[in-house]
Amino acid sequence: MKDAENPTIYLKDYTPPNWLVEDVHLTFRLAPQATRVISRVRFTPNPDADGRAFFLEGEDLRLIWCKINGEDVTPQVTTVGLTCEVPEDSFVWEAEVEIAPEANTALEGLYMSGGMYSTQCEAQGFRKITYYPDRPDVMAPFTVRIESDMPVLLSNGNKVSAGDGFAVWHDPWPKPSYLFALVAGHLVNLPGTFTTRSGKEVELNIWVRPGDEDKCDFALEALKKSMTWDEEVYGREYDLDIFNIVAVDDFNMGAMENKGLNIFNSSAVLANARTATDANFERIEAIIAHEYFHNWTGNRITCRDWFQLCLKEGLTVFRDAQFTADMRSEPVKRISDVLDLRGRQFREDGGPLAHPVRPESFQEINNFYTSTVYEKGAEVIGMLKRLVGDAGYAKALDLYFERHDGQACTIEDWLKVFEDATGRDLAQFKRWYSQAGTPKVTMREAWKGDCYTLTLTQDLPDTPGQTDKQPQVIPFAIGLLDPSGEEVVPTTLLELTEKEQTFTFNGLAKRPIPSPLRGFSAPIIVERKTNNAERAFLLQHDTDPFNRWEAGRQLAKSALVNMIGDGADPDPLYLEALTTLITDDSQDPAFRALCLGLPSEDDLAQTFADMGQTPDPQAIWEGREALRGAVSDALAGDLATLYNRHLVTEKFRPDAEQGGKRALTNSLLVLLTRRDEGAAAQGQYADADNMTQQMGALSALLANDLGSLELASFADQWAHERLVMDKWFMVQVLQARPDLAAGVANALTQRPDFTMTNPNRFRAVFGALSMNQAGFHHASGEGYRLMADWLIKLDPVNPQTTARMCSAFQTWRRYDTDRREMMQEHLQRIADLPGLSRDTSEMVSRILG
Ligand code: B3K
Ligand code: ZN
């Protein structure tokens, strides 16, 4: 029954559209409960299609009338669209429909948020606005007339005319419907201008609700930097007279790259020193860049169908990572990205939700905006660049833009460009797009005479629906150090193409210590027999910053595994190496802050599962607490000095340099708070004139069971700032002790300022609950119950966010019988709900397997 309602769509079934669109005219008569949308679309037969049957997608629309070439027609209307008899040749389709934006809590299509109208059409939201071929391979220029008494009326492209109660916009660049956008509201703007390389003047605006004007400067600067960077690095210029960014409070994700009218979750655009943390600033800069870069990688060149999503997302994530590395610190960006990749993508790849970078089937495409498509998709491009070199990559990208501008493309088109530009055969490389799972590469080493031999074996585990996988092309960057710490072989790129391969290095005086997978040159797991002495050696001597961090992380992990699994004492070697690094002022503070971070609870749980042991979330939590205590003891004498030496007291700047120092002092503060009963943290809290230090202090206090006064005063101070209050909701759940987490989260949901119609607020509580692993997995089962209860409540309101949050349960199979059974029961309880959304139904059934 469910499957009949939710058909599975397959990549192999793709067929070109029967009808193409020459142009689109839309008129919106806005009203919260009954908006009228009048469309006028010129269709023309597609010479590449086999048929002439006519189908328009449409959902939740009230059709008022429709005409073909000016004559009334009576189509067959279903819950998903309409079909109609049409002429043999080109014709004009006109229709009027009614929709109710105010009732739209799913935040897809046209909806209302904080009194303004806004849209979200990717992937398939346009069909909730009007009847249309809502597929990315149908591209057309749009003209949009908006009629409303709202003072600000925006759509894509350039403004053609405006007057009392109306505005007309025209977007000359053919685009698919998913890039359509409309905004209407009482908005104020921070204006700016940008002159492109070829001298074109572009008007820029950041549009926000009154009261938020003081949080726009950073976004505007980030936009200008992005525009300059894309010209300098990719040779890409902006192509309209105007570029608008609008901040919206109720939004399902970070932001959306609608042509010329980007719509942002307010959390991804609004920032000033008082309200936003360094991490917020960095995220905003990255998202502004990401959406802007989509103008070429996504909009000018789009996807043929939704299976090709990684074509635009993987590439654009790769581009925004390059941008952040250029604007800030390359090693710090790389380490953060790998942390994120391992934390989310490896986890996805290793469980029931594993899917290829280019999935081959889906029921609800919104469920495939995943870390695999985005982040692994970006890693695949990074590997391609490493394999063909910087010059080859630049040549291929130039060819891509030249050959495919204005088209809706596939991964095949993308790879062909690289083959044609570089002469390299990418048939085997293409497996990265079709085989799911994280490859494991095992290293075996031999030493004889002056020759070091390395044998590398690759394995790709089975994943849902996929077995017997073929070897992939793995760029494996390696360097060799001699025992004195001298680099004897600089970074060398080995290319793995077979299941097993041997590489030799001759002429070495002593047996070298390898530094494998430098810069994390491929998204894989490396297995190697090593020991802590070697790790400590690499932490001290490696020339590759990523691998120095990696060595420290492995030391921490092995210390933790021994503590948790065998009740061992904290490893003195780790404590010593860490102390040396942290007290070394020649090291970048941001790097030191990263090295102070311990492997996450989830990472440790997976490590135990990989060793064939059942992870105990409580023991993992206690182990991390104990190691943190040991680190605090080891650094004891230095903590206060280090903290004071790096404490930023000058005027706040959201740059990498100051941010690194604040990251370090905030990490030190957590350790210091264990020793001084909160004195330093209370001091920092009281003195802070910026959110990074205020939040850092509050968080350090809460992590040490202190801070109730600060928590209360924070709420008073920031009651009127939604985004700041999201942090307040979140930090309490994140820092709650395991036995209290579900109770804290539950109490927060009872507050009048908790609302589930705002995804940011819902995620602040429930995203935090799923991140507080020991709390979520507490033996009482209260974490599971609370999460499931609220997912059940949220599903009818907002299916997309519900489905996404179901992934909190994706690791259920790795736990003990009690926990497994509880999680399974809750998942089943969700699955059995009558009227469950397609989004959530697909997610839960995949997780249950
Ligand atoms: N392309 C959008 C994501 C749309 C998600 C639809 N469920 C944002 C981005 O990746 O830039
Ligand atoms: Zn994107």
Side-chain angles (χ1 to χ4, degrees):
M1 181 66 185
K2 277 226 165 93
D3 282 347
E5 284 168 22
N6 302 329
T8 301
I9 320 288
Y10 294 92
L11 166 61
K12 63 175 167 50
D13 292 344
Y14 173 83
T15 53
N18 288 344
W19 294 88
L20 300 177
V21 173
E22 292 197 345
D23 55 29
V24 187
H25 284 77
L26 299 172
T27 299
F28 286 81
R29 302 206 169 116
L30 294 177
Q33 286 161 22
T35 287
R36 290 290 173 102
V37 185
I38 300 137
S39 57
R40 184 174 186 279
V41 185
R42 280 203 298 150
F43 283 100
T44 189
N46 180 3
D48 296 333
D50 299 334
R52 285 281 179 276
F54 182 71
F55 175 74
L56 301 179
E57 274 88 11
E59 281 174 24
D60 305 330
L61 307 171
R62 190 162 80 84
L63 180 60
I64 311 291
W65 54 260
C66 55
K67 294 181 171 79
I68 285 180
N69 290 336
E71 303 281 331
D72 285 332
V73 286
T74 315
Q76 289 76 56
V77 181
T78 70
T79 52
V80 294
L82 61 76
T83 54
C84 192
E85 290 290 315
V86 294
E88 293 273 292
D89 213 341
S90 306
F91 63 90
V92 175
W93 162 268
E94 289 168 285
E96 178 164 353
V97 301
E98 189 177 285
I99 51 179
E102 200 172 59
N104 181 355
T105 56
L107 314 182
E108 195 187 42
L110 177 68
Y111 65 93
M112 303 207 69
S113 166
M116 65 193 264
Y117 294 85
S118 184
T119 53
Q120 172 55 37
C121 292
E122 188 177 0
Q124 301 182 327
F126 192 75
R127 61 190 62 182
K128 296 183 172 175
I129 292 176
T130 192
Y131 288 100
Y132 194 75
D134 189 14
R135 44 187 290 168
D137 55 355
V138 174
M139 299 169 83
F142 279 59
T143 305
V144 177
R145 179 183 167 92
I146 310 169
E147 297 175 10
S148 163
D149 54 12
M150 293 284 189
V152 176
L153 306 173
L154 309 172
S155 190
N156 315 89
N158 299 319
K159 199 189 243 185
V160 181
S161 62
D164 208 17
F166 80 94
V168 180
W169 291 80
H170 175 68
D171 180 4
W173 298 104
K175 67 165 176 291
S177 50
Y178 83 86
L179 290 172
F180 167 81
L182 176 154
V183 168
H186 292 273
L187 297 167
V188 288
N189 65 316
L190 176 69
T193 57
F194 182 84
T195 310
T196 67
R197 201 160 59 163
S198 59
K200 185 183 165 87
E201 186 92 346
V202 183
E203 175 189 333
L204 312 176
N205 291 296
I206 313 285
W207 294 96
V208 298
R209 292 207 313 210
D212 286 331
E213 303 88 331
D214 59 342
K215 304 187 197 74
C216 302
D217 295 343
F218 183 79
L220 185 61
E221 284 315 304
L223 175 59
K224 291 180 193 168
K225 282 191 212 168
S226 307
M227 296 177 87
T228 305
W229 187 91
D230 214 15
E231 290 186 350
E232 286 173 356
V233 181
Y234 280 82
R236 297 296 107 204
E237 274 187 42
Y238 188 60
D239 53 5
L240 290 165
D241 305 338
I242 183 164
F243 189 86
N244 284 315
I245 288 179
V246 183
V248 180
D249 280 335
D250 304 300
F251 206 68
N252 276 331
M253 61 263 172
M256 178 63 211
E257 70 263 25
N258 316 300
K259 184 81 188 188
L261 177 54
N262 287 2
I263 299 181
F264 273 60
N265 186 320
S266 50
S267 75
V269 57
L270 302 180
N272 65 33
R274 306 239 318 131
T275 61
T277 62
D278 288 316
N280 296 149
F281 281 105
E282 182 171 338
R283 172 169 178 263
I284 289 167
E285 187 177 84
I287 297 184
I288 298 255
H290 179 99
E291 306 312 332
Y292 176 73
F293 297 159
H294 266 316
N295 190 53
W296 276 94
T297 54
N299 302 2
R300 288 284 287 256
I301 304 180
T302 193
C303 302
R304 186 195 72 176
D305 54 73
W306 291 116
F307 296 102
Q308 320 296 329
L309 185 57
C310 64
L311 178 76
K312 74 178 177 81
E313 295 305 347
L315 177 54
T316 307
V317 171
F318 181 71
R319 275 152 49 72
D320 84 54
Q322 289 181 300
F323 169 79
T324 299
D326 284 355
M327 295 298 123
R328 292 166 183 259
S329 149
E330 188 177 341
V332 168
K333 173 63 177 161
R334 189 64 188 141
I335 294 166
S336 319
D337 280 353
V338 173
L339 270 170
D340 184 66
L341 188 80
R342 286 179 173 155
R344 301 194 302 123
Q345 201 280 321
F346 280 22
R347 168 163 137 135
E348 188 164 81
D349 243 356
L353 297 176
H355 55 275
V357 168
R358 179 167 70 176
E360 273 148 31
S361 68
F362 62 76
Q363 289 182 342
E364 172 50 63
I365 184 58
N366 282 324
N367 289 335
F368 286 84
Y369 285 73
T370 59
S371 176
T372 297
V373 170
Y374 275 63
E375 276 77 34
K376 188 176 179 181
E379 290 296 322
V380 170
I381 291 169
M383 286 190 286
L384 201 47
K385 180 159 179 283
R386 244 162 252 130
L387 290 168
V388 303
D390 292 352
Y393 178 81
K395 210 170 146 204
L397 267 285
D398 286 345
L399 183 58
Y400 181 60
F401 294 123
E402 184 193 311
R403 187 183 282 175
H404 293 296
D405 186 13
Q407 297 177 6
C409 295
T410 60
I411 289 303
E412 282 73 15
D413 296 326
W414 165 253
L415 290 175
K416 182 79 169 57
V417 155
F418 275 79
E419 292 188 325
D420 292 351
T422 68
R424 194 181 166 113
D425 179 349
L426 293 171
Q428 186 185 1
F429 184 83
K430 195 177 170 193
R431 289 178 189 155
W432 278 106
Y433 287 98
S434 58
Q435 299 192 139
T438 309
K440 187 183 285 175
V441 171
T442 310
M443 290 172 68
R444 279 180 290 128
E445 295 154 77
W447 170 246
K448 202 169 169 199
D450 67 350
C451 177
Y452 172 73
T453 309
L454 186 63
T455 304
L456 299 175
T457 313
Q458 57 167 307
D459 284 295
L460 192 51
D462 292 349
T463 46
Q466 280 192 348
T467 50
D468 290 333
K469 304 192 191 182
Q470 301 303 305
Q472 296 183 170
V473 183
I474 300 178
F476 194 92
I478 189 167
L480 302 179
L481 306 176
D482 83 1
S484 71
E486 193 75 22
E487 184 167 79
V488 286
V489 174
T491 306
T492 305
L493 195 70
L494 309 178
E495 279 185 37
L496 276 64
T497 51
E498 328 236 318
K499 168 107 183 119
E500 182 167 298
Q501 260 165 290
T502 297
F503 302 89
T504 53
F505 299 86
N506 293 308
L508 299 169
K510 293 199 178 117
R511 183 183 178 124
I513 292 104
S515 162
L517 203 70
R518 280 188 160 173
F520 201 71
S521 61
I524 61 171
I525 294 167
V526 177
E527 291 263 311
R528 167 167 184 264
K529 284 208 177 63
T530 176
N531 55 53
N532 284 348
E534 232 175 48
R535 290 174 177 137
F537 170 88
L538 287 176
L539 176 57
Q540 204 185 343
H541 296 292
D542 206 330
T543 56
D544 183 70
F546 177 82
N547 268 10
R548 290 189 59 217
W549 169 83
E550 176 81 329
R553 166 115 325 203
Q554 286 177 13
L555 268 179
K557 203 191 249 189
S558 108
L560 278 164
V561 166
N562 293 332
M563 290 168 75
I564 298 159
D566 306 328
D569 284 336
D571 180 3
L573 204 56
Y574 166 66
L575 296 174
E576 202 186 296
L578 188 69
T579 309
T580 309
L581 177 84
I582 299 303
T583 52
D584 177 357
D585 277 348
S586 70
Q587 302 293 327
D588 176 10
F591 180 76
R592 282 186 275 167
L594 282 167
C595 291
L596 271 177
L598 295 179
S600 71
E601 293 168 72
D602 185 66
D603 185 354
L604 289 161
Q606 188 56 45
T607 305
F608 281 104
D610 291 342
M611 299 187 313
Q613 296 175 28
T614 306
D616 175 348
Q618 181 68 25
I620 289 174
W621 183 81
E622 285 164 12
R624 289 177 86 248
E625 287 301 301
L627 187 57
R628 211 173 266 140
V631 171
S632 171
D633 291 346
L635 281 165
D638 300 311
L639 276 175
T641 328
L642 271 173
Y643 171 81
N644 289 319
R645 202 174 328 136
H646 293 95
L647 190 68
V648 181
T649 50
E650 65 225 63
K651 188 172 167 353
F652 183 94
R653 289 193 319 267
D655 61 15
E657 198 223 321
Q658 275 198 2
K661 289 187 188 158
R662 280 187 290 266
L664 179 60
T665 47
N666 277 346
S667 305
L668 293 168
L669 197 57
V670 178
L671 303 174
L672 200 51
T673 306
R674 301 180 80 97
R675 324 190 69 76
D676 71 355
E677 272 133 43
Q682 279 152 0
Q684 176 170 316
Y685 186 89
D687 294 346
D689 63 355
N690 64 79
M691 186 47 65
T692 311
Q693 289 176 331
Q694 191 177 9
M695 208 16 125
L698 180 61
S699 176
L701 289 166
L702 295 176
N704 290 285
D705 295 329
L706 300 162
S708 50
L709 284 180
E710 286 78 6
L711 198 59
S713 83
F714 190 102
D716 286 343
Q717 183 185 354
W718 296 115
H720 56 287
E721 291 280 359
R722 280 173 86 164
L723 296 173
V724 181
M725 284 306 284
D726 288 336
K727 299 180 200 305
W728 181 85
F729 274 82
M730 180 172 244
V731 70
Q732 301 178 59
V733 182
L734 270 184
Q735 298 299 349
R737 297 168 46 94
D739 52 332
L740 302 178
V744 169
N746 185 40
L748 289 171
T749 62
Q750 310 300 312
R751 290 175 54 96
D753 52 355
F754 177 81
T755 162
M756 62 176 173
T757 54
N758 178 249
N760 292 357
R761 187 59 48 94
F762 190 87
R763 274 191 292 258
V765 174
F766 289 99
L769 182 60
S770 76
M771 275 185 263
N772 183 335
Q773 288 274 295
F776 179 60
H777 292 288
H778 189 261
S780 65
E782 286 308 312
Y784 303 148
R785 178 187 318 283
L786 188 70
M787 180 74 78
D789 284 351
W790 278 93
L791 292 178
I792 287 169
K793 283 187 222 184
L794 186 66
D795 187 63
V797 175
N798 185 335
Q800 241 180 78
T801 293
T802 311
R804 192 154 270 261
M805 302 223 36
C806 286
S807 59
F809 289 104
Q810 71 177 303
T811 54
W812 68 281
R813 279 184 198 276
R814 67 154 94 113
Y815 292 95
D816 51 87
T817 320
D818 282 353
R819 288 187 169 88
R820 236 176 21 232
E821 281 176 357
M822 286 192 275
M823 283 192 266
Q824 192 178 12
E825 248 167 56
H826 288 298
L827 284 165
Q828 199 57 54
R829 181 157 72 94
I830 300 174
D832 292 344
L833 282 177
L836 188 68
S837 69
R838 174 170 65 215
D839 310 57
T840 305
S841 154
E842 181 185 32
M843 282 299 271
V844 172
S845 72
R846 283 167 68 209
I847 293 171
L848 281 168

